[in-house]
PDB file of all heavy atoms in Angstrom:
ATOM      1  N   THR A 223     -52.259  99.702  30.936  1.00  0.00           N
ATOM      2  CA  THR A 223     -51.532 100.906  30.527  1.00  0.00           C
ATOM      3  C   THR A 223     -51.757 101.237  29.057  1.00  0.00           C
ATOM      4  O   THR A 223     -51.316 102.280  28.583  1.00  0.00           O
ATOM      5  CB  THR A 223     -50.017 100.717  30.745  1.00  0.00           C
ATOM      6  OG1 THR A 223     -49.582  99.614  29.938  1.00  0.00           O
ATOM      7  CG2 THR A 223     -49.682 100.453  32.198  1.00  0.00           C
ATOM      8  N   GLY A 224     -52.420 100.319  28.320  1.00  0.00           N
ATOM      9  CA  GLY A 224     -52.637 100.500  26.892  1.00  0.00           C
ATOM     10  C   GLY A 224     -51.611  99.781  26.037  1.00  0.00           C
ATOM     11  O   GLY A 224     -51.777  99.661  24.826  1.00  0.00           O
ATOM     12  N   LYS A 225     -50.543  99.289  26.662  1.00  0.00           N
ATOM     13  CA  LYS A 225     -49.506  98.568  25.923  1.00  0.00           C
ATOM     14  C   LYS A 225     -49.995  97.171  25.582  1.00  0.00           C
ATOM     15  O   LYS A 225     -50.744  96.555  26.336  1.00  0.00           O
ATOM     16  CB  LYS A 225     -48.237  98.488  26.772  1.00  0.00           C
ATOM     17  CG  LYS A 225     -47.048  97.922  26.049  1.00  0.00           C
ATOM     18  CD  LYS A 225     -45.780  98.094  26.851  1.00  0.00           C
ATOM     19  CE  LYS A 225     -44.606  97.623  26.015  1.00  0.00           C
ATOM     20  NZ  LYS A 225     -43.336  97.875  26.675  1.00  0.00           N
ATOM     21  N   LYS A 226     -49.568  96.650  24.419  1.00  0.00           N
ATOM     22  CA  LYS A 226     -49.902  95.291  23.990  1.00  0.00           C
ATOM     23  C   LYS A 226     -48.607  94.543  23.733  1.00  0.00           C
ATOM     24  O   LYS A 226     -47.670  95.092  23.154  1.00  0.00           O
ATOM     25  CB  LYS A 226     -50.755  95.310  22.729  1.00  0.00           C
ATOM     26  CG  LYS A 226     -52.126  95.912  22.962  1.00  0.00           C
ATOM     27  CD  LYS A 226     -52.971  95.852  21.713  1.00  0.00           C
ATOM     28  CE  LYS A 226     -54.275  96.547  21.962  1.00  0.00           C
ATOM     29  NZ  LYS A 226     -55.372  95.622  22.092  1.00  0.00           N
ATOM     30  N   LEU A 227     -48.581  93.274  24.150  1.00  0.00           N
ATOM     31  CA  LEU A 227     -47.413  92.429  23.956  1.00  0.00           C
ATOM     32  C   LEU A 227     -47.826  91.190  23.174  1.00  0.00           C
ATOM     33  O   LEU A 227     -48.824  90.552  23.500  1.00  0.00           O
ATOM     34  CB  LEU A 227     -46.846  91.978  25.306  1.00  0.00           C
ATOM     35  CG  LEU A 227     -46.449  93.057  26.298  1.00  0.00           C
ATOM     36  CD1 LEU A 227     -46.177  92.435  27.653  1.00  0.00           C
ATOM     37  CD2 LEU A 227     -45.226  93.783  25.794  1.00  0.00           C
ATOM     38  N   MET A 228     -47.056  90.841  22.150  1.00  0.00           N
ATOM     39  CA  MET A 228     -47.271  89.605  21.410  1.00  0.00           C
ATOM     40  C   MET A 228     -46.281  88.587  21.982  1.00  0.00           C
ATOM     41  O   MET A 228     -45.073  88.833  21.986  1.00  0.00           O
ATOM     42  CB  MET A 228     -47.037  89.811  19.919  1.00  0.00           C
ATOM     43  CG  MET A 228     -47.446  88.621  19.087  1.00  0.00           C
ATOM     44  SD  MET A 228     -47.173  88.836  17.308  1.00  0.00           S
ATOM     45  CE  MET A 228     -48.036  90.350  16.981  1.00  0.00           C
ATOM     46  N   VAL A 229     -46.809  87.467  22.472  1.00  0.00           N
ATOM     47  CA  VAL A 229     -45.958  86.472  23.121  1.00  0.00           C
ATOM     48  C   VAL A 229     -46.162  85.097  22.500  1.00  0.00           C
ATOM     49  O   VAL A 229     -47.163  84.850  21.833  1.00  0.00           O
ATOM     50  CB  VAL A 229     -46.234  86.425  24.645  1.00  0.00           C
ATOM     51  CG1 VAL A 229     -45.914  87.754  25.305  1.00  0.00           C
ATOM     52  CG2 VAL A 229     -47.663  86.020  24.946  1.00  0.00           C
ATOM     53  N   VAL A 230     -45.202  84.208  22.738  1.00  0.00           N
ATOM     54  CA  VAL A 230     -45.271  82.867  22.148  1.00  0.00           C
ATOM     55  C   VAL A 230     -46.138  81.918  22.976  1.00  0.00           C
ATOM     56  O   VAL A 230     -46.637  80.926  22.442  1.00  0.00           O
ATOM     57  CB  VAL A 230     -43.867  82.249  21.945  1.00  0.00           C
ATOM     58  CG1 VAL A 230     -43.047  83.077  20.989  1.00  0.00           C
ATOM     59  CG2 VAL A 230     -43.135  82.071  23.253  1.00  0.00           C
ATOM     60  N   GLU A 231     -46.327  82.202  24.257  1.00  0.00           N
ATOM     61  CA  GLU A 231     -47.131  81.338  25.111  1.00  0.00           C
ATOM     62  C   GLU A 231     -48.585  81.360  24.663  1.00  0.00           C
ATOM     63  O   GLU A 231     -49.082  82.372  24.191  1.00  0.00           O
ATOM     64  CB  GLU A 231     -47.042  81.771  26.582  1.00  0.00           C
ATOM     65  CG  GLU A 231     -45.699  81.519  27.240  1.00  0.00           C
ATOM     66  CD  GLU A 231     -44.677  82.610  26.992  1.00  0.00           C
ATOM     67  OE1 GLU A 231     -44.966  83.566  26.248  1.00  0.00           O
ATOM     68  OE2 GLU A 231     -43.570  82.495  27.538  1.00  0.00           O
ATOM     69  N   SER A 232     -49.277  80.252  24.860  1.00  0.00           N
ATOM     70  CA  SER A 232     -50.711  80.189  24.549  1.00  0.00           C
ATOM     71  C   SER A 232     -51.485  80.970  25.608  1.00  0.00           C
ATOM     72  O   SER A 232     -50.960  81.264  26.699  1.00  0.00           O
ATOM     73  CB  SER A 232     -51.186  78.740  24.534  1.00  0.00           C
ATOM     74  OG  SER A 232     -51.147  78.205  25.851  1.00  0.00           O
ATOM     75  N   VAL A 233     -52.733  81.281  25.300  1.00  0.00           N
ATOM     76  CA  VAL A 233     -53.593  81.964  26.262  1.00  0.00           C
ATOM     77  C   VAL A 233     -53.670  81.149  27.548  1.00  0.00           C
ATOM     78  O   VAL A 233     -53.517  81.687  28.654  1.00  0.00           O
ATOM     79  CB  VAL A 233     -55.005  82.196  25.666  1.00  0.00           C
ATOM     80  CG1 VAL A 233     -55.967  82.698  26.724  1.00  0.00           C
ATOM     81  CG2 VAL A 233     -54.946  83.171  24.498  1.00  0.00           C
ATOM     82  N   ASP A 234     -53.877  79.848  27.418  1.00  0.00           N
ATOM     83  CA  ASP A 234     -53.988  78.985  28.605  1.00  0.00           C
ATOM     84  C   ASP A 234     -52.709  78.991  29.437  1.00  0.00           C
ATOM     85  O   ASP A 234     -52.771  78.984  30.674  1.00  0.00           O
ATOM     86  CB  ASP A 234     -54.341  77.558  28.204  1.00  0.00           C
ATOM     87  CG  ASP A 234     -55.768  77.427  27.699  1.00  0.00           C
ATOM     88  OD1 ASP A 234     -56.606  78.286  28.044  1.00  0.00           O
ATOM     89  OD2 ASP A 234     -56.043  76.468  26.963  1.00  0.00           O
ATOM     90  N   HIS A 235     -51.561  79.022  28.781  1.00  0.00           N
ATOM     91  CA  HIS A 235     -50.289  79.020  29.505  1.00  0.00           C
ATOM     92  C   HIS A 235     -50.094  80.341  30.249  1.00  0.00           C
ATOM     93  O   HIS A 235     -49.601  80.347  31.382  1.00  0.00           O
ATOM     94  CB  HIS A 235     -49.135  78.751  28.543  1.00  0.00           C
ATOM     95  CG  HIS A 235     -47.864  78.384  29.228  1.00  0.00           C
ATOM     96  ND1 HIS A 235     -46.662  78.438  28.603  1.00  0.00           N
ATOM     97  CD2 HIS A 235     -47.595  77.970  30.484  1.00  0.00           C
ATOM     98  CE1 HIS A 235     -45.701  78.086  29.443  1.00  0.00           C
ATOM     99  NE2 HIS A 235     -46.249  77.791  30.594  1.00  0.00           N
ATOM    100  N   VAL A 236     -50.466  81.453  29.639  1.00  0.00           N
ATOM    101  CA  VAL A 236     -50.375  82.751  30.326  1.00  0.00           C
ATOM    102  C   VAL A 236     -51.287  82.735  31.549  1.00  0.00           C
ATOM    103  O   VAL A 236     -50.889  83.162  32.640  1.00  0.00           O
ATOM    104  CB  VAL A 236     -50.723  83.921  29.382  1.00  0.00           C
ATOM    105  CG1 VAL A 236     -50.738  85.245  30.150  1.00  0.00           C
ATOM    106  CG2 VAL A 236     -49.744  83.997  28.214  1.00  0.00           C
ATOM    107  N   ILE A 237     -52.497  82.219  31.395  1.00  0.00           N
ATOM    108  CA  ILE A 237     -53.437  82.141  32.526  1.00  0.00           C
ATOM    109  C   ILE A 237     -52.848  81.285  33.644  1.00  0.00           C
ATOM    110  O   ILE A 237     -52.925  81.649  34.824  1.00  0.00           O
ATOM    111  CB  ILE A 237     -54.797  81.599  32.059  1.00  0.00           C
ATOM    112  CG1 ILE A 237     -55.482  82.630  31.159  1.00  0.00           C
ATOM    113  CG2 ILE A 237     -55.688  81.236  33.254  1.00  0.00           C
ATOM    114  CD1 ILE A 237     -56.710  82.107  30.428  1.00  0.00           C
ATOM    115  N   GLU A 238     -52.240  80.143  33.293  1.00  0.00           N
ATOM    116  CA  GLU A 238     -51.618  79.284  34.300  1.00  0.00           C
ATOM    117  C   GLU A 238     -50.525  80.025  35.057  1.00  0.00           C
ATOM    118  O   GLU A 238     -50.421  79.904  36.281  1.00  0.00           O
ATOM    119  CB  GLU A 238     -51.033  78.038  33.638  1.00  0.00           C
ATOM    120  CG  GLU A 238     -52.064  77.043  33.168  1.00  0.00           C
ATOM    121  CD  GLU A 238     -51.458  75.918  32.349  1.00  0.00           C
ATOM    122  OE1 GLU A 238     -50.216  75.745  32.356  1.00  0.00           O
ATOM    123  OE2 GLU A 238     -52.232  75.208  31.682  1.00  0.00           O
ATOM    124  N   LYS A 239     -49.715  80.799  34.337  1.00  0.00           N
ATOM    125  CA  LYS A 239     -48.640  81.553  34.984  1.00  0.00           C
ATOM    126  C   LYS A 239     -49.199  82.614  35.934  1.00  0.00           C
ATOM    127  O   LYS A 239     -48.678  82.814  37.034  1.00  0.00           O
ATOM    128  CB  LYS A 239     -47.736  82.203  33.942  1.00  0.00           C
ATOM    129  CG  LYS A 239     -46.832  81.223  33.233  1.00  0.00           C
ATOM    130  CD  LYS A 239     -45.924  81.936  32.255  1.00  0.00           C
ATOM    131  CE  LYS A 239     -44.925  80.964  31.689  1.00  0.00           C
ATOM    132  NZ  LYS A 239     -43.573  81.485  31.695  1.00  0.00           N
ATOM    133  N   VAL A 240     -50.254  83.293  35.514  1.00  0.00           N
ATOM    134  CA  VAL A 240     -50.874  84.312  36.371  1.00  0.00           C
ATOM    135  C   VAL A 240     -51.481  83.653  37.608  1.00  0.00           C
ATOM    136  O   VAL A 240     -51.334  84.166  38.730  1.00  0.00           O
ATOM    137  CB  VAL A 240     -51.928  85.127  35.588  1.00  0.00           C
ATOM    138  CG1 VAL A 240     -52.732  86.018  36.517  1.00  0.00           C
ATOM    139  CG2 VAL A 240     -51.249  85.955  34.503  1.00  0.00           C
ATOM    140  N   MET A 241     -52.141  82.517  37.431  1.00  0.00           N
ATOM    141  CA  MET A 241     -52.731  81.819  38.575  1.00  0.00           C
ATOM    142  C   MET A 241     -51.646  81.355  39.554  1.00  0.00           C
ATOM    143  O   MET A 241     -51.817  81.469  40.770  1.00  0.00           O
ATOM    144  CB  MET A 241     -53.583  80.654  38.097  1.00  0.00           C
ATOM    145  CG  MET A 241     -54.857  81.118  37.408  1.00  0.00           C
ATOM    146  SD  MET A 241     -55.810  79.790  36.655  1.00  0.00           S
ATOM    147  CE  MET A 241     -56.248  78.820  38.076  1.00  0.00           C
ATOM    148  N   ALA A 242     -50.521  80.854  39.048  1.00  0.00           N
ATOM    149  CA  ALA A 242     -49.414  80.427  39.907  1.00  0.00           C
ATOM    150  C   ALA A 242     -48.852  81.620  40.675  1.00  0.00           C
ATOM    151  O   ALA A 242     -48.535  81.517  41.871  1.00  0.00           O
ATOM    152  CB  ALA A 242     -48.327  79.756  39.076  1.00  0.00           C
ATOM    153  N   TYR A 243     -48.755  82.758  40.014  1.00  0.00           N
ATOM    154  CA  TYR A 243     -48.284  83.983  40.655  1.00  0.00           C
ATOM    155  C   TYR A 243     -49.217  84.379  41.796  1.00  0.00           C
ATOM    156  O   TYR A 243     -48.778  84.678  42.910  1.00  0.00           O
ATOM    157  CB  TYR A 243     -48.197  85.104  39.611  1.00  0.00           C
ATOM    158  CG  TYR A 243     -48.156  86.498  40.180  1.00  0.00           C
ATOM    159  CD1 TYR A 243     -46.999  87.014  40.731  1.00  0.00           C
ATOM    160  CD2 TYR A 243     -49.289  87.305  40.161  1.00  0.00           C
ATOM    161  CE1 TYR A 243     -46.964  88.300  41.257  1.00  0.00           C
ATOM    162  CE2 TYR A 243     -49.267  88.586  40.678  1.00  0.00           C
ATOM    163  CZ  TYR A 243     -48.103  89.074  41.229  1.00  0.00           C
ATOM    164  OH  TYR A 243     -48.076  90.342  41.750  1.00  0.00           O
ATOM    165  N   ARG A 244     -50.505  84.344  41.542  1.00  0.00           N
ATOM    166  CA  ARG A 244     -51.478  84.741  42.574  1.00  0.00           C
ATOM    167  C   ARG A 244     -51.498  83.744  43.738  1.00  0.00           C
ATOM    168  O   ARG A 244     -51.659  84.136  44.886  1.00  0.00           O
ATOM    169  CB  ARG A 244     -52.849  84.913  41.964  1.00  0.00           C
ATOM    170  CG  ARG A 244     -52.825  86.098  41.012  1.00  0.00           C
ATOM    171  CD  ARG A 244     -54.143  86.652  40.746  1.00  0.00           C
ATOM    172  NE  ARG A 244     -53.961  87.776  39.816  1.00  0.00           N
ATOM    173  CZ  ARG A 244     -54.897  88.612  39.538  1.00  0.00           C
ATOM    174  NH1 ARG A 244     -56.093  88.487  40.069  1.00  0.00           N
ATOM    175  NH2 ARG A 244     -54.677  89.588  38.693  1.00  0.00           N
ATOM    176  N   ARG A 245     -51.325  82.452  43.425  1.00  0.00           N
ATOM    177  CA  ARG A 245     -51.237  81.450  44.502  1.00  0.00           C
ATOM    178  C   ARG A 245     -50.006  81.729  45.370  1.00  0.00           C
ATOM    179  O   ARG A 245     -50.061  81.616  46.591  1.00  0.00           O
ATOM    180  CB  ARG A 245     -51.163  80.048  43.932  1.00  0.00           C
ATOM    181  CG  ARG A 245     -52.501  79.409  43.696  1.00  0.00           C
ATOM    182  CD  ARG A 245     -52.390  77.914  43.442  1.00  0.00           C
ATOM    183  NE  ARG A 245     -51.720  77.594  42.188  1.00  0.00           N
ATOM    184  CZ  ARG A 245     -52.312  77.543  41.012  1.00  0.00           C
ATOM    185  NH1 ARG A 245     -53.591  77.784  40.908  1.00  0.00           N
ATOM    186  NH2 ARG A 245     -51.627  77.253  39.930  1.00  0.00           N
ATOM    187  N   ALA A 246     -48.911  82.087  44.731  1.00  0.00           N
ATOM    188  CA  ALA A 246     -47.679  82.375  45.463  1.00  0.00           C
ATOM    189  C   ALA A 246     -47.868  83.575  46.394  1.00  0.00           C
ATOM    190  O   ALA A 246     -47.335  83.608  47.504  1.00  0.00           O
ATOM    191  CB  ALA A 246     -46.526  82.618  44.502  1.00  0.00           C
TER     192      ALA A 246
END
């Protein structure tokens, strides 16, 4: 959408969360 979010999680942790979501 063009929006950017600054988050505290590391890149690897965000990837892990996305992968867990897709597995679910």
Side-chain angles (χ1 to χ4, degrees):
T223 61
K225 187 170 185 175
K226 294 183 184 253
L227 303 169
M228 189 180 306
V229 298
V230 298
E231 290 84 357
S232 68
V233 171
D234 289 337
H235 195 197
V236 175
I237 291 169
E238 288 172 14
K239 286 182 173 227
V240 171
M241 290 173 63
Y243 161 77
R244 293 201 180 191
R245 272 193 293 275

